[in-house]
Amino acid sequence: MVARAVTYQSPEELPERRDADGTTIEVGNPKARSTVQVYEDPRCPVVEEFERTGATALQALLLEGKVKAKYTFASFKDDRLGGDGSKRAVNALRAASEKGMFVEYHAVLFAHQVDVESSGGFTTARLLKLAREVPGLRDDAFDQAVKTMKYQSFVTASQRAYEHTGDDPIGPGTPTVIVNGHAIDGSLFAVNFDAKVFGLMVRDLQARPSAWELEYEPLKKRLDTAES
């Protein structure tokens, strides 16, 4: 008997869990054969662009049960821009995951990132205000976790995991998107911002795992050489 495919009717139904290493939040069908690893800094405008574009295709694949996504959060933008908005946002996202509402709150934060950044960034007050847009998220436990930075250890561990990704000691930049172990970067980086192309690539790599070595990697190398 062929197992029935796992599908979800809405983002709210997507399973959420935290990886054992304490750095990453995983979303989607745990038995999915394909994994999309995403490194994000909540204050990064390029991440906001990814969430508006390629990530919409990722969500569709998550709902189909075709892939699972792993989110690891950087907070280096605080050092570059000043303030602590990235760290506070990552802590709040971790608090939302405690209630199984990471997906919904993550979507809300990026839907408002541009106007939030232009008016002071992710402050405690702003994070709590935005949490009202996720029914059932706000309660005493969540509010206290946000106010006290309860999950500071997660914030620190996630930043370190980001820094240890790739060859650059300060991290690869955000967003960094890795599909089944293959980084969609260099000359292929623009694919992350085209929902149709990104979705097709993820589906193709799921159906034909060898396509990376046979087609995408050689193409990437040729394009990288042409651009250098």
Side-chain angles (χ1 to χ4, degrees), residues 29-68:
N29 177 10
K31 296 183 179 180
R33 291 187 296 113
S34 293
T35 301
V36 178
Q37 169 76 62
V38 184
Y39 293 87
E40 298 185 330
D41 187 311
R43 295 180 72 182
C44 177
V46 191
V47 173
E48 186 275 335
E49 183 182 0
F50 169 69
E51 286 296 328
R52 251 188 310 111
T53 54
T56 61
L58 174 57
Q59 183 177 93
L61 289 163
L62 289 170
L63 292 174
E64 292 173 15
K66 298 288 182 67
V67 304
K68 54 183 175 289

Side-chain angles (χ1 to χ4, degrees), residues 17 35 49 56 66 69 76 80 94 112 119 124 135 194 199 211 221:
R17 55 211 162 269
T35 301
E49 183 182 0
T56 61
K66 298 288 182 67
F76 63 86
R80 299 183 187 180
R94 170 64 179 81
H112 292 276
S119 59
T124 296
D194 186 316
K221 289 180 178 178

Side-chain angles (χ1 to χ4, degrees), residues 116-128:
V116 165
E117 282 303 297
S118 66
S119 59
F122 286 114
T123 62
T124 296
R126 188 61 63 87
L127 289 164
L128 291 173

Side-chain angles (χ1 to χ4, degrees), residues 82-164:
D84 58 3
S86 287
K87 295 181 183 68
R88 290 194 173 277
V90 174
N91 174 75
L93 286 164
R94 170 64 179 81
S97 78
E98 198 69 22
K99 299 191 68 175
M101 297 180 180
F102 165 80
V103 171
E104 299 95 302
Y105 192 48
H106 178 266
V108 167
L109 292 193
F110 279 102
H112 292 276
Q113 190 220 52
V114 173
D115 55 278
V116 165
E117 282 303 297
S118 66
S119 59
F122 286 114
T123 62
T124 296
R126 188 61 63 87
L127 289 164
L128 291 173
K129 181 178 179 181
L130 291 174
R132 293 182 187 142
E133 297 192 20
V134 181
L137 177 56
R138 292 218 34 198
D139 59 14
D140 288 344
F142 176 82
D143 287 7
Q144 282 299 112
V146 173
K147 291 175 182 177
T148 64
M149 287 290 292
K150 178 178 180 178
Y151 299 108
Q152 177 65 63
S153 60
F154 174 83
V155 176
T156 301
S158 297
Q159 170 63 22
R160 286 176 179 164
Y162 161 76
E163 291 171 351
H164 294 153

Side-chain angles (χ1 to χ4, degrees), residues 49-50 53-54 184-195 197-198:
E49 183 182 0
F50 169 69
T53 54
I184 313 303
D185 58 7
S187 56
L188 294 181
F189 186 63
V191 169
N192 296 310
F193 307 98
D194 186 316
V197 177
F198 181 75

Side-chain angles (χ1 to χ4, degrees), residues 202-213:
V202 175
R203 291 177 191 277
D204 193 27
L205 289 172
Q206 181 199 41
R208 303 185 304 138
S210 63
W212 181 264
E213 288 77 13

